Amino acid sequence: MESVAAFSSSVPGQIVLAIGQTIVVVCVCFDMVRELSVPRSHRRFVASTVFRTLAIPSIVANAMTVFIALVVSSWVDVVMGMFVLVAIVFRFHHNQDEDNWWKGKGKKLARWARRQFAGRTSTAPAMG
């Protein structure tokens, strides 16, 4: 636990945490843009795509920040971080009917992966 506290107070640790918090802020801002945009508009499509793309890294970055706050016993930071974490997870799970670039990509990526990793069958040359 001391190593976590030492890393979080070092310059590289502060840089990593700042980058993580920047991702969280950008994710939340695009969620607000998505919420305030006209349904089925290009602006909403872009905002929803950016939110969907940054939601998982935001959750990981915010969870790391909450863990560090827990280690250093900064209870106010733990509570605020958990509030943001729960809000992002809630928004990520409850707005899945949005039109975004990722919609339908799971099946397409699975098909592509299946084709890529399937055993290549080739016929042996005729022996004569």
Side-chain angles (χ1 to χ4, degrees):
M1 293 298 176
E2 290 116 16
S3 61
V4 172
F7 175 73
S8 68
S9 62
S10 68
V11 173
Q14 289 293 313
I15 291 171
V16 168
L17 290 174
I19 291 170
Q21 288 306 308
T22 303
I23 292 171
V24 171
V25 169
V26 170
C27 179
V28 170
C29 288
F30 273 97
D31 186 38
M32 286 190 296
V33 169
R34 182 187 56 80
E35 193 61 35
L36 296 173
S37 297
V38 177
R40 293 180 297 282
S41 66
H42 178 70
R43 182 178 177 185
R44 190 168 180 134
F45 174 82
V46 171
S48 182
T49 300
V50 172
F51 174 72
R52 283 271 173 213
T53 304
L54 293 180
I56 300 296
S58 295
I59 291 168
V60 170
N62 206 25
M64 185 174 65
T65 303
V66 168
F67 176 69
I68 289 170
L70 187 65
V71 168
V72 297
S73 299
S74 177
W75 302 113
V76 173
D77 291 339
V78 170
V79 171
M80 290 189 308
M82 284 304 295
F83 175 76
V84 172
L85 190 63
V86 168
I88 293 172
V89 169
F90 178 81
R91 299 289 297 161
F92 184 68
H93 281 291
H94 281 77
N95 289 342
Q96 293 190 353
D97 60 337
E98 285 291 322
D99 187 25
N100 59 55
W101 187 84
W102 292 105
K103 191 166 189 163
K105 292 292 186 227
K107 290 179 184 176
K108 291 177 185 174
L109 288 172
R111 260 186 264 132
W112 175 83
R114 222 176 295 127
R115 281 194 311 263
Q116 295 301 315
F117 298 121
R120 303 268 188 219
T121 56
S122 61
T123 57
M127 301 200 70

